[in-house]
């Protein structure tokens, strides 16, 4: 990550309060190209607030965000603006429409039209198949079925595929495997590595699964009481050490 180029993403001392509650006191981290970082912390520590600031959901009260060395105008801060800058989020609930097929979910909000009127179903189907092939996902065969008929892992594949299909450089994963079994969890982890290595995508992952974090993340950022208090490189912290950093802050 460290070279003459600026980090892909820099977050410096961002904070956020809601009324009299300070949800985030000082959040800072960097993200390099082709890097996977994990953000961990106890419930209420501020990790979701930090990630939602990066995603454009919340404007920070203070601090700075830079993408490829360029400062983000925090007075013009929104989800659409951050998407334009290459950041996409896969939330824990996946934000999929259950009664719609995989192609319709992939193109949600980006529906291609024929003659300006009709959905271009062939283009949507071909693009969906292309994205799934890129992810090496072979288990989704019938693209006409509602997505509610698919397994949890298959639905996660569609959600991740949607995030990378439009050339996103940074994908935020919010508890990506919390509701999945061991086999589906392994498949999602494989996809993350595949996308990182093949497409150069960088990931920010929120997870309570410390074993998963240790497997996937190049660096682990710990948030304690609203402050990004510690950072560990891959292989430099045991699970016990991480738990202590999360719960005690040391």
């Amino acid at each position: 990550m460290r070279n003459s180029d600026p980090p892909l993403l820099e977050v410096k001392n961002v904070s956020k309060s809601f009324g009299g509650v300070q949800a985030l006191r000082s959040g800072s981290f960097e993200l390099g190209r082709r890097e996977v970082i994990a953000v961990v912390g106890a419930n209420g520590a501020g990790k979701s607030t930090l990630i939602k600031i990066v995603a454009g959901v919340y404007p920070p009260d203070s601090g700075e965000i830079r993408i490829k060395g360029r400062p983000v105008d925090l007075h013009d801060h929104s989800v659409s603006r951050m998407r334009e800058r290459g950041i996409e989020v896969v939330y824990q609930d996946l934000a999929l429409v259950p009664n719609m097929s995989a192609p319709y979910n992939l193109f949600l909000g980006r529906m291609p039209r024929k003659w300006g009127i009709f959905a271009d179903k062939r283009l949507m189907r071909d693009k969906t198949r292309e994205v799934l092939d890129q992810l090496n996902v072979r288990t989704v065969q019938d693209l006409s079925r509602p997505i509610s008929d698919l397994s949890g892992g298959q639905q996660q594949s569609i959600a991740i595929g949607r995030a990378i299909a439009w050339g996103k450089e940074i994908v935020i994963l919010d508890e990506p495997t919390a509701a999945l079994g061991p086999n589906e969890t392994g498949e999602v982890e494989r996809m993350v590595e595949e996308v990182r290595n093949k497409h150069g995508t960088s990931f920010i992952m929120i997870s309570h699964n410390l074993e998963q974090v240790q497997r996937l993340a190049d660096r682990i950022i710990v948030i304690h009481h609203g402050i990004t208090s510690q950072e560990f490189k891959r292989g430099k912290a045991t699970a016990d050490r991480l738990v202590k950093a999360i719960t005690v802050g040391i």
Side-chain angles (χ1 to χ4, degrees):
M1 175 180 141
R2 310 297 184 195
N3 52 39
S4 58
D5 296 327
L8 183 58
L9 173 68
E10 297 172 87
V11 179
K12 296 182 179 180
N13 303 317
V14 293
S15 66
K16 184 66 180 177
S17 294
F18 299 96
V21 178
Q22 191 160 28
L24 185 66
R25 295 161 62 192
S26 180
S28 301
F29 68 88
E30 294 182 358
L31 177 69
R33 289 167 175 79
R34 295 179 181 268
E35 188 175 32
V36 178
I37 68 169
V39 179
V40 300
N43 290 334
K47 56 187 182 296
S48 292
T49 302
L50 174 62
I51 292 309
K52 286 181 178 179
I53 288 172
V54 174
V57 177
Y58 301 142
D61 297 331
S62 62
E64 182 181 7
I65 299 174
R66 289 178 176 267
I67 297 176
K68 298 179 184 176
R70 294 185 176 184
V72 172
D73 182 0
L74 299 179
H75 298 289
D76 184 27
H77 192 58
S78 66
V79 172
S80 61
R81 289 295 190 191
M82 296 309 272
R83 279 179 174 168
E84 289 170 5
R85 295 178 174 100
I87 297 177
E88 189 73 40
V89 185
V90 179
Y91 289 106
Q92 188 172 352
D93 64 3
L94 303 184
L96 299 172
V97 182
N99 64 343
M100 295 174 69
S101 66
Y104 274 92
N105 272 283
L106 192 79
F107 280 87
L108 207 59
R110 299 179 174 94
M111 193 72 66
R113 301 284 180 181
K114 292 192 297 186
W115 307 298
I117 302 174
F118 304 106
D120 191 336
K121 295 181 181 179
R122 182 173 181 176
L123 186 153
M124 293 163 60
R125 185 180 64 250
D126 291 348
K127 178 66 174 180
T128 303
R129 180 58 62 200
E130 175 189 328
V131 169
L132 292 174
D133 286 346
Q134 288 175 349
L135 294 174
N136 200 24
V137 174
R138 310 297 181 192
T139 56
V140 181
Q141 295 297 323
D142 186 355
L143 295 180
S144 65
R145 295 165 59 192
I147 205 162
S148 57
D149 287 352
L150 304 182
S151 71
Q154 291 169 333
Q155 291 185 34
Q156 186 70 271
S157 301
I158 299 299
I160 293 175
R162 184 175 61 192
I164 68 163
W166 316 109
K168 301 304 182 185
E169 295 182 276
I170 301 170
V171 175
I172 299 171
L173 300 175
D174 181 10
E175 297 287 354
T177 60
L180 303 182
N183 291 338
E184 292 180 325
T185 293
E187 185 63 14
V188 170
E189 292 180 4
R190 180 200 63 75
M191 273 192 295
V192 170
E193 290 289 0
E194 184 108 357
V195 172
R196 183 249 287 268
N197 293 328
K198 279 192 174 181
H199 303 282
T201 304
S202 299
F203 288 88
I204 303 169
M205 179 174 63
I206 299 177
S207 178
H208 284 93
N209 185 334
L210 296 186
E211 291 183 0
Q212 179 180 73
V213 162
Q214 289 176 303
R215 284 194 300 270
L216 286 181
D218 298 301
R219 289 180 297 119
I220 303 170
I221 313 297
V222 179
I223 296 186
H224 181 72
H225 288 176
I227 298 174
T228 46
S229 57
Q230 296 196 59
E231 176 182 312
F232 300 98
K233 293 182 179 180
R234 186 197 291 266
K236 298 300 182 181
T238 63
D240 288 343
R241 181 71 185 88
L242 284 174
V243 169
K244 188 173 183 180
I246 290 168
T247 56
V248 184
I250 57 174

